[in-house]
Amino acid sequence: MVSKARSHAGWFLGHEHTWVKLGAVFIFMAIVFLVTAKGDYRIKSTFALEAKNQQVVVAPFDTFTKSVTVEPGDRVEAGQSILGTLETSELRLKLAALKAEQLGYQKQMTASMRDRKTAEAQIAQAQSDKAAAEIRLIENKIEQAALMAPITGWVVSEDLKQQIGAPVETGQVLFEIAGIDSLRAELYVPESFIANVSIGQEGELASMGHPDQKVQFVIERINPIAEVVNNQNVFRVRARILENLEWMRPGMEGEARIAAGKKSYLWLTTYRLVNWLRMKLWI
């Protein structure tokens, strides 16, 4: 037994078969490295930027579009930027008629009071007050015809410049404005990786338009129901962006990588194959 052990030791320590021995040592060290050393496990997914704060501007009355001053992607300021205007010519004609009617009631009231016809004066006063209320209503509508941006942000609705002169109804959505500091990322994580995703994990994303700039994020919410996107079962994962950059816009897309902890390099290089085999062989 001792002589046999010496023989094996001599073969291993001797000068013969040097390359074979070096290869065996290299393979052994590689296996040890793959099993013991750990690397970052990052889950890849696509994403799209969305606005948390989004408001709409609707038509305040039935009319026609007169002008449109913004296009999709334009930046607007709250209470300062005019998005467009509505036609008010019919309202202005009605306003002029009501003012003339009110003036007539006021003259009638004055004459009745002069003649001490109290009942007739009260009726004229009531009619004058009614006309005044209608005048205020129409004047308010005319003021609303200039459609102002309700918040500071970007125009994300479709271009209405091709619909100038088209009729609009009360309550019809004309513009949509996305808040400038309220962007978030919606990640579409494949079903096979969702088990390793949890709230609070961090990651980074890069848009297709600015692949050189990495933006940090933190996961806030995981939708518990899967959906089909591009013929793939995915889960929506909402992420809070830690830094809003000037070039970022709602609708931008790209790739996100979620930091899912440390794993051995052996696991990182084989987990896809192992999962596939488990599904095929039902292990």
Side-chain angles (χ1 to χ4, degrees):
M1 180 67 70
V2 175
S3 61
K4 190 174 183 180
R6 288 179 177 175
S7 176
H8 285 301
W11 181 87
F12 184 77
L13 298 174
H15 297 291
E16 298 179 351
H17 308 292
T18 302
W19 290 110
V20 175
K21 296 172 186 177
L22 289 175
V25 171
F26 176 79
I27 293 173
F28 175 76
M29 293 178 64
I31 294 174
V32 171
F33 174 80
L34 290 173
V35 173
T36 58
K38 294 185 176 182
D40 293 325
Y41 174 39
R42 296 183 177 274
I43 298 173
K44 296 180 182 180
S45 73
T46 58
F47 79 89
L49 294 180
E50 295 183 353
K52 290 186 292 184
N53 181 21
Q54 189 164 314
Q55 293 192 23
V56 298
V57 177
V58 302
F61 51 88
D62 294 348
T63 183
F64 300 86
T65 55
K66 183 178 181 180
S67 67
V68 176
T69 58
V70 295
E71 298 179 353
D74 285 354
R75 177 168 172 169
V76 294
E77 298 293 331
Q80 299 181 22
S81 301
I82 297 179
L83 308 177
T85 58
L86 301 177
E87 183 59 59
T88 60
S89 56
E90 185 176 343
L91 288 175
R92 294 182 185 278
L93 289 173
K94 188 174 182 180
L95 179 63
L98 282 171
K99 286 184 175 180
E101 185 178 341
Q102 183 191 34
L103 182 60
Y105 289 137
Q106 289 174 343
K107 290 181 178 180
Q108 182 180 346
M109 181 185 64
T110 301
S112 298
M113 291 179 65
R114 184 180 61 244
D115 298 337
R116 297 188 178 184
K117 298 179 179 179
T118 305
E120 292 181 3
Q122 290 176 343
I123 292 174
Q125 177 68 55
Q127 291 174 327
S128 176
D129 291 343
K130 180 182 177 182
E134 293 180 357
I135 288 172
R136 288 194 297 270
L137 179 62
I138 292 178
E139 287 177 339
N140 185 50
K141 286 184 177 181
I142 292 175
E143 289 179 1
Q144 293 177 333
L147 304 172
M148 305 294 293
I151 59 175
T152 299
W154 299 284
V155 178
V156 296
S157 52
E158 63 180 9
D159 192 355
L160 292 182
K161 288 189 175 180
Q162 302 301 321
Q163 300 183 33
I164 293 177
V168 295
E169 298 179 351
T170 303
Q172 180 179 336
V173 176
L174 301 178
F175 300 96
E176 295 181 31
I177 311 298
I180 192 168
D181 295 322
S182 62
L183 289 178
R184 67 188 178 200
E186 286 285 335
L187 280 59
Y188 304 96
V189 180
E191 181 182 4
S192 55
F193 301 117
I194 195 63
N196 296 313
V197 178
S198 59
I199 295 175
Q201 286 178 327
E202 299 179 352
E204 59 183 11
L205 55 83
S207 73
M208 296 177 64
H210 296 79
D212 57 320
Q213 298 189 44
K214 305 300 187 292
V215 181
Q216 305 297 314
F217 65 82
V218 177
I219 293 177
E220 290 186 325
R221 185 177 182 275
I222 302 173
N223 194 326
I225 301 174
E227 56 185 274
V228 178
V229 176
N230 296 328
N231 298 320
Q232 185 181 24
N233 238 30
V234 299
F235 285 82
R236 281 181 179 261
V237 175
R238 182 175 299 169
R240 173 170 53 89
I241 297 174
L242 300 183
E243 182 183 10
N244 282 303
L245 303 179
E246 182 64 26
W247 51 264
M248 296 172 70
R249 298 288 187 275
M252 282 186 168
E253 299 179 344
E255 182 177 287
R257 298 190 180 187
I258 304 169
K262 297 282 189 178
K263 298 288 185 180
S264 71
Y265 284 104
L266 180 63
W267 187 91
L268 291 173
T269 54
T270 60
Y271 76 95
R272 293 177 183 270
L273 176 62
V274 170
N275 289 343
W276 182 83
L277 289 174
R278 283 176 175 172
M279 288 298 298
K280 295 298 182 181
L281 302 178
W282 204 252
I283 299 176

